[in-house]
Amino acid sequence: MTAGGGSSRGPFMGIPRHLLTTLLPLLEEATAGAIAVDSDARITWINASYARLIGDAPERLVGRAIREVIPATRMPETVRTGQPRLLDIMEFRDQQLVVSRLPVEEDGVVVGALAFVLYDDLQPLAPLMSKYRRLQDDLAAARRALARRTARYSLSDFVGASPAALDVKRRARLAAGRDTPTLLLGETGTGKEILAQAIHSASARADRPFVGVNLAAVPENLLEAEFFGVAPGAYTGAGQRTREGKFQLAHGGTLFLDEIGDMPLALQAKLLRVLEEQQVEPLGSNQVQQVDVRVIAATSRDIGAMLADGTFRSDLYYRLNVLEIRVPPLRERLQDLGILCEALLEDIALGGELHAELTSDALAVLELYHWPGNIRELRNTLEQAMTMNEGEGALSANEVHAVLPGGRDNGSPAATSAAMVRPLAETVADAEQAAIESALRAAGGNRSRAARLLGISRSVLYEKLSKLS
């Protein structure tokens, strides 16, 4: 096959002929391999060096789909996206190749791509690679340390435009403007930590530390030390240096207490004392330390039931619940599912090489699922689907269906969709109950006011409440 630059069918379509007379000899001599593909990612030209590396004759390789010959190649992606990748490492058999890929355009349209093997032996690059890895490790460690002390999210990261999401954002802005304790209630995976960081970021404490602690993840015997710190020699193995607790680390900023419902009763009393006096006493110390900390707490547990059975102190609850924000589960704001998927897919793509969109049929499958794991489960589902898709086009309904729980065992998406449909009476009853509970909360338990908010008479409200009880 000739290298005619003027032919749209040639291996170097879009490249002027006068450049090829200089380019081709360089490609033959200066690289460990060079290859060209057309808009269908089929090989249109390959030099002798690359052919020897593959172990076949050039004339037998031309015309074949490049992924048949080099399975790990990302040339199809270069053709599809038109984005160059000047330096990449590609696995080929038992070798690691340093490669460069460039799109070829003609009249603004990508008509193919060129790739060069810059190194087929990484040994000469070992010192550089080692230094790069050390720098990457240092950078990752620095980012982790920084993330533990600063808020990464703002209110724009709490994605949603449904009435429920907008109400959460409104209350979050209210919380950000006040320096009072805030309690976030909601199921696991609804975005409570994002909201806590967003409140801090929008508050007057934004340039001060944000320190989070998940009480469910800390052993009970270590919680007091984790909160209030440890004096030198306080116990065997404590060491001879003062260890600061979360309150000291958050001084001047915000302390986020995640899963506050998992806090033991004994520690609840000590936390209440700190909140009221803004003083902590490290373990093994007789010295109190003044702290200035704004507390945001969150729980996925039924705090009302815990108050009733005595597993959560009512005085601590009232101290924490100066401003309450209920974060709705995903199933209560399915209007946000489309923009949530768009934001999550974009975020997932930033952390890797896969890029994907969602078809309307795929979105329909997601809308019929009940999302017990909420947004965290949605992200995991999209990541799995993207991995299966390998970045090749939009995610289909079948790809999404396959990664949903039971998707591989329950037949087609249509069958699953039918199984997920609930009786209309049941759906209406649940919606009515949710509306009544929301109105009662907004009215502070005042049933007359709740009836006015709902647009019904008190007698109708009482009748409905008797049916719910």
Side-chain angles (χ1 to χ4, degrees), residues 54 60 132 177 234 381 448:
I54 293 170
R60 290 168 57 87
Y132 174 75
T381 298
S448 297

Side-chain angles (χ1 to χ4, degrees), residues 34 44 56 65 89 118 135 166 230 253 298 308 338 380 391 397 413 419:
T44 56
D56 208 340
I89 296 177
L118 305 177
L135 289 172
L166 293 177
V230 181
N380 176 264

